[in-house]
C-alpha cells in the first residue's frame, strides 16, 4: 500500500501544481479586468480658461465611470451645468454684474502686449482686485455649514482643483481628502516652493523678465532682484486666504503648507515651450491637454500672426 501511494504521489503533485497555476491565472485575469465602480471626485475649478482646460478632464473622468461633482459659486461666467457632471453651487456676496465687470476688466489687462513697470503694477492691482472677489467667494463656501456637512457626508475620494487661487486646496484639507492640482503656473512660483523643487536664480529665468536660459551677469542680477516685489505682493494678496484657512482649520497654517497637501501636481507645461528645470516626481507634465479640441485659425487670425 505504501509503495502504491509513493508511485501516485508525483501525479498528485503535478495535478495540484496545474490547479494552482490555473487559479493564479484566474486571479490575475480578475485583477486585470476594469472595475465597474468608479471613484467620487469633487472638482473645484477656477474661472475662465482654467475651467475650460479642466472641463475636458472632467468629461474624461465621467467617460471612465467616475462620479464627478463640480463645486462653483452661483455667480460665474463660464461654469455652467452640463450632462457629464453634477453642478453644486453656493451663494456669494456679490452680483453677476460686479463680478463680470471685474473679471473681464482683468482679462483686458492680461492681454496687453506692452511690457513695462507700469504694466506690471497695473497687473498686480488687477490681480489683487480679482483675488478680493475670490476671498469673498471662498468665505461664502467655507462658512456654509450645511454645505460643508453635505460634502463631508458624501465621502469623496479626491479633490481635483486649480490652486491658482487655492480655496479648493483649503477645502481638501478641511475635508481631509487627498488633492490633485491641475494648473499652468502660480504667482510667485509657489508650486516650486511647495514641492521643494530646486529653483536657482542663476539658472532658471523668472516669469516676465524676458531673460533666456543663457544670461549675462547683469541679467542674473535682474533675475534675482525681480521676484522681490512679487514676493511682497503674494504675501499681501494671499494673506486674507491664510487667515481664513487658519480660522477654518483651527490652527495656524501658511499658504505653502496648504499647497503641500497636494498628492499630485498636473502641470500644463512642456519643455518645448518652457525651459528645462528640476521637477519633483509628483509633478506630472500634461502639456497640450487644453489643445485636444483643435479648430482651424480664421483668416483674420492668420493675418494678425504675420503682421
Amino acid at each position: 500500500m505504501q509503495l502504491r501511494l509513493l508511485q501516485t504521489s508525483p501525479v498528485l503533485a503535478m495535478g495540484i501544481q496545474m490547479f494552482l497555476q490555473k487559479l493564479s491565472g484566474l486571479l490575475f485575469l480578475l485583477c486585470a479586468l476594469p472595475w465597474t465602480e468608479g471613484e467620487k471626485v469633487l472638482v473645484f475649478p477656477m474661472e475662465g480658461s482654467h475651467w475650460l482646460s479642466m472641463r475636458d478632464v472632467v468629461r474624461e473622468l465621467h467617460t471612465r465611470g467616475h462620479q464627478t461633482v463640480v463645486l462653483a459659486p452661483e455667480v460665474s461666467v463660464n461654469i455652467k451645468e452640463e450632462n457629464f457632471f453634477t453642478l453644486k453651487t453656493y451663494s456669494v456676496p456679490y452680483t453677476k454684474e460686479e463680478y463680470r465687470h471685474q473679471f473681464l476688466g482683468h482679462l483686458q489687462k492680461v492681454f496687453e502686449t506692452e511690457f513695462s513697470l507700469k504694466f506690471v503694477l497695473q497687473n498686480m492691482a488687477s490681480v489683487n482686485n480679482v483675488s478680493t472677489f475670490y476671498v469673498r467667494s471662498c468665505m461664502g463656501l467655507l462658512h456654509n455649514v450645511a454645505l460643508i456637512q453635505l460634502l463631508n457626508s458624501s465621502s469623496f475620494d479626491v479633490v481635483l482643483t486649480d490652486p491658482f487661487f487655492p480655496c479648493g486646496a483649503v477645502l481638501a484639507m478641511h475635508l481631509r481628502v487627498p488633492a490633485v492640482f491641475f494648473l499652468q503656473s502660480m504667482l510667485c512660483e509657489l508650486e516650486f516652493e511647495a514641492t521643494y523643487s530646486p529653483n536657482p536664480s542663476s539658472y532658471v529665468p523668472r516669469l516676465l523678465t524676458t531673460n533666456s536660459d543663457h544670461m549675462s551677469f547683469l541679467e542674473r542680477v535682474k533675475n534675482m532682484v525681480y521676484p522681490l516685489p512679487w514676493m511682497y505682493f503674494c504675501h499681501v494678496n494671499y494673506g486674507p486666504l491664510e487667515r481664513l484657512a487658519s480660522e477654518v482649520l483651527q490652527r495656524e497654517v501658511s499658504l505653502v503648507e496648504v499647497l503641500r497637501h497636494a498628492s499630485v501636481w498636473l502641470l500644463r507645461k512642456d519643455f518645448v515651450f518652457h525651459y528645462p528645470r528640476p521637477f519633483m516626481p509628483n509633478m506630472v507634465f500634461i502639456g497640450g491637454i487644453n489643445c485636444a479640441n483643435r479648430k482651424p485659425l480664421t483668416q483674420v487670425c492668420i493675418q494678425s500672426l504675420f503682421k
Side-chain angles (χ1 to χ4, degrees):
M1 181 69 68
Q2 288 182 347
L3 180 62
R4 187 175 299 174
L5 287 174
L6 288 173
Q7 288 175 346
T8 57
S9 60
V11 178
L12 180 62
M14 185 178 295
I16 293 174
Q17 185 177 3
M18 291 179 63
F19 173 77
L20 291 175
Q21 287 178 348
K22 291 180 180 180
L23 180 62
S24 61
L26 178 62
L27 292 174
F28 179 80
L29 179 62
L30 290 174
C31 291
L33 289 174
W35 297 104
T36 57
E37 183 180 356
E39 304 295 328
K40 298 183 70 175
V41 183
L42 178 63
V43 182
F44 192 94
M46 279 284 295
E47 185 62 88
S49 60
H50 299 262
W51 161 242
L52 297 179
S53 298
M54 186 183 283
R55 180 173 170 270
D56 290 333
V57 177
V58 176
R59 187 196 300 274
E60 185 64 25
L61 287 172
H62 172 76
T63 302
R64 299 192 180 199
H66 300 291
Q67 302 176 49
T68 53
V69 175
V70 174
L71 187 62
E74 62 183 5
V75 173
S76 176
V77 176
N78 299 105
I79 306 172
K80 299 178 176 63
E81 189 168 3
E82 299 191 58
N83 59 3
F84 54 89
F85 62 82
T86 301
L87 180 63
K88 184 70 178 176
T89 61
Y90 56 92
S91 59
V92 288
Y94 48 80
T95 65
K96 190 165 188 174
E97 289 71 25
E98 290 176 314
Y99 180 69
R100 183 180 289 272
H101 172 75
Q102 190 63 248
F103 180 71
L104 296 178
H106 171 65
L107 285 181
Q108 290 176 355
K109 291 183 174 62
V110 167
F111 288 105
E112 289 180 6
T113 56
E114 181 185 357
F115 178 79
S116 62
L117 180 60
K118 180 182 177 182
F119 165 76
V120 173
L121 293 176
Q122 286 180 341
N123 211 21
M124 281 184 173
S126 180
V127 170
N128 192 43
N129 291 336
V130 173
S131 179
T132 301
F133 271 81
Y134 282 126
V135 169
R136 293 167 64 189
S137 172
C138 194
M139 290 177 65
L141 166 64
L142 297 176
H143 287 162
N144 190 329
V145 177
L147 178 57
I148 295 297
Q149 288 177 347
L150 175 64
L151 296 176
N152 257 319
S153 62
S154 298
S155 301
F156 288 100
D157 297 291
V158 67
V159 174
L160 174 64
T161 183
D162 188 320
F164 187 83
F165 186 78
C167 183
V170 177
L171 177 63
M173 285 189 72
H174 187 41
L175 297 178
R176 297 180 181 179
V177 176
V180 173
F181 287 171
F182 180 91
L183 71 155
Q184 166 70 29
S185 60
M186 293 194 67
L187 293 174
C188 307
E189 300 184 321
L190 287 169
E191 65 268 34
F192 302 110
E193 183 179 356
T195 53
Y196 300 101
S197 297
N199 197 18
S201 297
S202 59
Y203 174 70
V204 180
R206 298 300 179 223
L207 184 67
L208 300 178
T209 59
T210 68
N211 287 339
S212 71
D213 55 342
H214 296 283
M215 293 177 277
S216 65
F217 174 75
L218 291 178
E219 286 173 334
R220 292 177 196 274
V221 172
K222 174 186 176 183
N223 209 47
M224 294 185 68
V225 173
Y226 192 83
L228 296 179
W230 283 101
M231 290 171 62
Y232 172 75
F233 166 74
C234 283
H235 175 72
V236 174
N237 186 63
Y238 287 123
L241 181 69
E242 285 184 329
R243 291 189 289 273
L244 178 60
S246 299
E247 175 191 339
V248 170
L249 300 173
Q250 297 183 347
R251 62 184 179 87
E252 200 71 28
V253 293
S254 66
L255 176 60
V256 172
E257 183 182 351
V258 170
L259 295 175
R260 283 177 182 157
H261 179 71
S263 300
V264 179
W265 296 65
L266 301 178
L267 303 177
R268 301 198 318 272
K269 294 177 180 286
D270 195 299
F271 282 154
V272 174
F273 299 105
H274 299 84
Y275 298 109
R277 57 174 301 158
F279 285 90
M280 292 293 105
N282 66 334
M283 304 176 83
V284 183
F285 283 79
I286 56 170
I289 194 171
N290 51 320
C291 304
N293 298 323
R294 297 181 295 274
K295 295 181 181 179
L297 292 174
T298 63
Q299 195 62 32
V300 176
C301 290
I302 295 173
Q303 290 173 355
S304 63
L305 287 173
F306 291 97
K307 283 185 179 179

